[in-house]
C-alpha cells in the first residue's frame, strides 16, 4: 500500500499509472494538509461529537467541535441539533468566516441555557449563543431556544445577557424556532446587512424586564414577518444606525409594542430611516406604534410608516416620546433627535387606557407627521384623548382629533379604509 501525502516527493521513476491514480485521488478529495473537508455526510450531528442531550450534561464542547468541523467544510454543510433531546449549553461562540459560502443550522431539539448565574461566568460577549462573521447563514427548524432567564430578572444591574445574537452576519435567514425566557433580548441583530426573520414564536412573561423579542442595531435591509411575539418589553426595537426595515404580519402582545429607538442616549448621534410596519396586531400591549428618543441626543428618525394596524386593549397605541428618560437622565438638554416624515394610516381598534395618541416632542423637531384614517376608541366604550406638543403635520379622518395637526377632512371619504402607503422609491434596496 502506498501512502501519498501533500508533501510527498514523487520519484521520477514512479510508473505513469500510479501517478495518474494519485492525481485523480488528490482532485476528488480536498488536501487534508490545508484543513478542508468536502461535506458528503449530509450533516454534522452534535451527537456525533459527544453531545448527550439529557438536559443536565454540559454539551458546550460538543457543539463547539461540531461547529469547527462544519466551518472547515466546503459545499453546503449543516449543523444538526436533533429532536427529542435537551442540550445544556454554557455560552458558545459560533465564529466565522467559514470555508463554505452557505451554512445551515437545523435546530429540532431544545437548547437550554444555564439555570444559575455561575454558568454564565465565561460569557465575555454578553450573550449566550453568538454567531459572528458568518455570511449566508440559515438557521431553521421546529426546535426551542430556552434562555431560562428568570434568575436574571431580579438583578437588573447585572443583566446584560442576550440569548441569541447575530453579529456581522450578512444575508441571514432565521425561521421556525421557538424562543423562550431570555435573560434580556431574545434575538439581537448587530451590523447585519440583509436578513429575513420569519415564523418565529417568542415568549416571556409580561413582567419580565428588558426581554425584547427582536432587537436591531446598526443593520440594514431587514425583513421580519409572520411571527408571534409576547414579552416583557418591545416586541421589536429598531435602534441606532439602522435603515430599510420591513415588518409585516406580527402579532405583538403582551409587550411594549414595536418601537423605533430608543435613540440618543448619553448624547449619542443615532439615525434610523425607512422603517415600514404593516398588517400587525397589538394586543394588551403597554404601547403600540412608538418612537422614543432621549433628551440631549442628536441625529434623526425619518421616513417611518405604520399602516394597517389592529389594536385590542393596547395602551398608548400611537406615541412619540422625545423625553424618554430614566433617573440618570437630565431632562433639560440643548439638543434632540429630529423626528420627521412619519406616517400613520389605517390604525384602528381599542386602547387599554384613555390616551389614544401622544405626541410629546422637543421644540421644532417633530415635523411632517401625517395621520390618515385613524380610529381609536376606549376598550370600555368611551372616548380617548389625543395630546400633542411641538408637532407639525396633517391629519385626516382621525379619531381622536389631534389638536396640533392641521385637519384635512374636507371631501375625504372617512369610511374608506382601503388606503395604502406608497413608500419612496428608494425605500427598499
Amino acid at each position: 500500500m502506498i501512502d501519498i501525502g501533500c508533501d510527498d516527493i514523487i520519484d521520477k521513476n514512479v510508473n505513469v499509472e500510479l501517478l495518474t491514480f494519485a492525481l485523480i485521488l488528490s482532485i476528488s478529495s480536498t488536501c487534508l494538509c490545508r484543513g478542508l473537508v468536502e461535506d458528503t455526510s449530509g450533516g454534522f450531528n452534535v451527537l456525533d461529537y459527544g453531545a448527550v442531550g439529557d438536559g443536565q450534561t454540559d454539551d458546550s464542547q460538543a457543539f463547539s467541535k461540531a461547529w469547527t468541523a462544519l466551518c472547515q467544510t466546503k459545499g453546503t454543510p449543516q449543523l444538526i441539533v436533533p429532536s427529542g433531546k435537551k442540550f445544556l449549553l454554557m455560552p458558545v461562540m459560533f465564529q466565522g468566516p467559514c470555508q463554505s459560502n452557505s451554512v445551515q443550522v437545523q435546530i429540532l431539539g431544545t437548547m437550554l441555557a444555564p439555570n444559575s448565574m455561575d454558568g454564565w461566568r465565561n460569557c465575555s460577549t454578553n450573550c449566550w449563543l453568538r454567531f459572528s462573521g458568518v455570511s449566508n447563514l440559515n438557521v431553521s427548524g421546529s426546535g426551542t431556544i430556552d434562555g431560562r432567564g428568570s434568575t436574571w430578572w431580579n438583578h437588573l444591574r447585572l443583566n446584560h445577557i442576550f440569548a441569541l445574537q447575530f453579529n456581522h452576519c450578512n444575508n441571514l435567514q432565521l425561521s421556525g424556532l421557538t424562543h423562550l425566557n431570555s435573560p434580556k433580548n431574545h434575538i439581537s441583530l448587530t451590523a447585519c446587512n440583509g436578513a429575513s426573520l420569519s415564523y418565529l414564536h417568542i415568549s416571556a412573561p409580561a413582567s419580565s424586564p428588558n426581554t425584547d423579542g427582536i432587537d436591531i442595531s446598526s443593520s440594514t435591509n431587514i425583513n421580519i414577518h409572520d411571527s408571534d411575539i409576547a414579552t416583557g418589553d418591545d416586541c421589536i426595537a429598531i435602534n441606532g444606525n439602522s435603515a430599510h426595515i420591513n415588518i409585516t404580519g406580527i402579532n405583538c402582545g403582551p409587550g411594549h409594542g414595536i418601537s423605533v429607538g430608543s435613540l440618543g442616549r448619553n448624547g449619542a448621534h443615532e439615525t434610523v430611516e425607512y422603517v415600514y410596519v404593516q398588517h400587525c396586531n397589538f394586543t394588551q400591549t403597554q404601547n403600540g406604534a412608538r418612537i422614543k428618543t432621549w433628551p440631549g441626543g442628536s441625529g434623526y428618525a425619518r421616513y417611518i410608516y405604520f399602516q394597517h394596524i389592529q389594536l385590542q386593549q393596547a395602551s398608548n397605541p400611537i406615541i412619540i416620546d422625545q423625553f424618554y428618560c430614566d433617573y440618570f437622565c437630565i431632562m433639560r438638554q440643548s439638543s434632540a433627535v429630529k423626528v420627521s416624515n412619519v406616517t400613520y394610516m389605517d390604525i384602528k381598534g381599542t386602547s387599554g387606557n384613555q390616551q389614544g395618541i401622544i405626541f410629546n416632542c422637543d421644540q421644532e423637531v417633530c415635523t411632517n407627521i401625517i395621520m390618515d384614517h385613524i380610529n381609536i376608541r376606549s376598550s370600555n366604550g368611551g372616548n380617548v384623548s389625543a395630546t400633542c406638543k411641538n408637532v407639525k403635520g396633517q391629519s385626516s379622518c382621525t379619531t381622536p382629533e389631534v389638536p396640533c395637526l392641521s385637519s384635512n377632512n374636507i371631501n375625504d371619504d372617512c369610511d374608506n379604509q382601503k388606503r395604502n402607503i406608497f413608500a419612496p422609491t428608494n425605500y427598499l434596496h
Side-chain angles (χ1 to χ4, degrees):
M1 180 176 179
I2 298 176
D3 183 14
I4 299 180
C6 291
D7 298 320
D8 287 344
I9 300 175
I10 303 175
D11 190 87
K12 294 181 180 180
N13 294 325
V14 176
N15 66 52
V16 174
E17 290 80 9
L18 183 58
L19 179 58
T20 301
F21 173 78
L23 288 173
I24 293 173
L25 182 63
S26 67
I27 293 172
S28 63
S29 61
T30 307
C31 179
L32 296 179
C33 295
R34 292 188 294 179
L36 303 180
V37 179
E38 188 75 25
D39 180 21
T40 59
S41 65
F44 294 81
N45 191 317
V46 295
L47 295 177
D48 297 333
Y49 291 84
V52 177
D54 61 0
Q56 299 179 359
T57 303
D58 181 3
D59 289 322
S60 306
Q61 289 299 318
F63 274 68
S64 294
K65 290 177 181 178
W67 176 260
T68 298
L70 174 146
C71 207
Q72 294 177 347
T73 301
K74 290 184 176 181
T76 307
Q78 183 180 69
L79 182 73
I80 299 174
V81 181
S83 62
K85 298 285 186 179
K86 295 182 178 181
F87 300 94
L88 175 62
L89 300 176
M90 303 302 120
V92 179
M93 165 79 84
F94 301 95
Q95 182 65 55
C98 294
Q99 293 294 337
S100 172
N101 292 326
S102 178
V103 174
Q104 298 182 1
V105 178
Q106 186 178 41
I107 301 175
L108 303 175
T110 299
M111 300 167 72
L112 294 175
N115 205 21
S116 67
M117 290 186 178
D118 290 342
W120 298 83
R121 288 181 176 177
N122 294 325
C123 187
S124 60
T125 59
N126 290 334
C127 57
W128 171 37
L129 306 173
R130 187 174 196 246
F131 291 86
S132 182
V134 186
S135 295
N136 301 304
L137 173 65
N138 186 338
V139 181
S140 64
S142 57
T144 299
I145 296 177
D146 189 347
R148 299 207 286 190
S150 59
T151 303
W152 293 92
W153 295 339
N154 294 324
H155 301 275
L156 295 182
R157 292 186 179 275
L158 300 177
N159 183 9
H160 300 288
I161 305 297
F162 305 154
L164 177 62
Q165 184 184 52
F166 298 95
N167 178 56
H168 288 279
C169 293
N170 297 332
N171 301 318
L172 166 71
Q173 295 185 60
L174 176 68
S175 64
L177 299 174
T178 296
H179 302 256
L180 301 177
N181 299 326
S182 174
K184 197 176 180 183
N185 301 343
H186 286 78
I187 301 168
S188 295
L189 305 182
T190 305
C192 296
N193 179 25
S196 176
L197 284 66
S198 60
Y199 305 106
L200 302 175
H201 304 275
I202 304 173
S203 179
S207 59
S208 59
N210 300 321
T211 52
D212 289 2
I214 301 171
D215 198 83
I216 304 167
S217 299
S218 301
S219 296
T220 56
N221 298 303
I222 309 300
N223 185 21
I224 304 171
H225 65 92
D226 298 299
S227 295
D228 300 325
I229 305 176
T231 69
D233 210 306
D234 295 325
C235 291
I236 300 173
I238 302 130
N239 293 304
N241 308 314
S242 297
H244 303 283
I245 313 297
N246 192 359
I247 299 169
T248 305
I250 303 300
N251 295 316
C252 172
H256 293 185
I258 295 177
S259 298
V260 173
S262 62
L263 304 176
R265 185 174 187 175
N266 297 325
H269 178 88
E270 294 182 306
T271 65
V272 170
E273 60 183 343
Y274 299 110
V275 175
Y276 196 31
V277 181
Q278 65 174 338
H279 299 292
C280 294
N281 300 314
F282 296 130
T283 302
Q284 297 181 343
T285 53
Q286 287 191 20
N287 304 282
R290 178 163 66 155
I291 299 172
K292 49 182 177 176
T293 71
W294 289 72
S298 63
Y300 54 79
R302 64 189 186 188
Y303 302 118
I304 298 165
Y305 306 86
F306 294 96
Q307 175 180 341
H308 306 317
I309 306 295
Q310 290 282 348
L311 309 168
Q312 184 174 349
Q313 294 184 316
S315 299
N316 308 319
I318 297 174
I319 178 170
I320 298 176
D321 182 7
Q322 289 214 288
F323 298 93
Y324 185 77
C325 202
D326 59 18
Y327 50 85
F328 294 112
C329 171
I330 299 174
M331 291 297 294
R332 295 184 178 273
Q333 297 283 355
S334 60
S335 65
V337 176
K338 295 183 182 300
V339 178
S340 65
N341 298 291
V342 181
T343 299
Y344 304 90
M345 185 176 290
D346 187 23
I347 299 177
K348 56 189 177 181
T350 59
S351 174
N353 58 13
Q354 295 306 114
Q355 296 177 306
I357 300 170
I358 303 172
F359 291 145
N360 189 18
C361 292
D362 206 335
Q363 296 182 7
E364 304 296 328
V365 295
C366 288
T367 59
N368 197 27
I369 308 301
I370 306 298
M371 309 198 78
D372 189 5
H373 283 77
I374 310 298
N375 188 353
I376 302 173
R377 60 193 185 277
S378 173
S379 59
N380 61 18
N383 295 324
V384 297
S385 65
T387 59
C388 58
K389 177 183 176 182
N390 298 322
V391 179
K392 294 182 178 180
Q394 293 185 343
S395 70
S396 60
C397 303
T398 295
T399 303
E401 183 177 346
V402 183
C404 289
L405 302 181
S406 300
S407 178
N408 187 26
N409 287 335
I410 299 176
N411 297 325
D412 272 356
D413 180 6
C414 292
D415 294 327
N416 178 15
Q417 297 291 337
K418 296 181 180 179
R419 304 292 292 271
N420 289 284
I421 294 171
F422 295 95
T425 56
N426 61 341
Y427 166 66
L428 290 176
H429 283 184

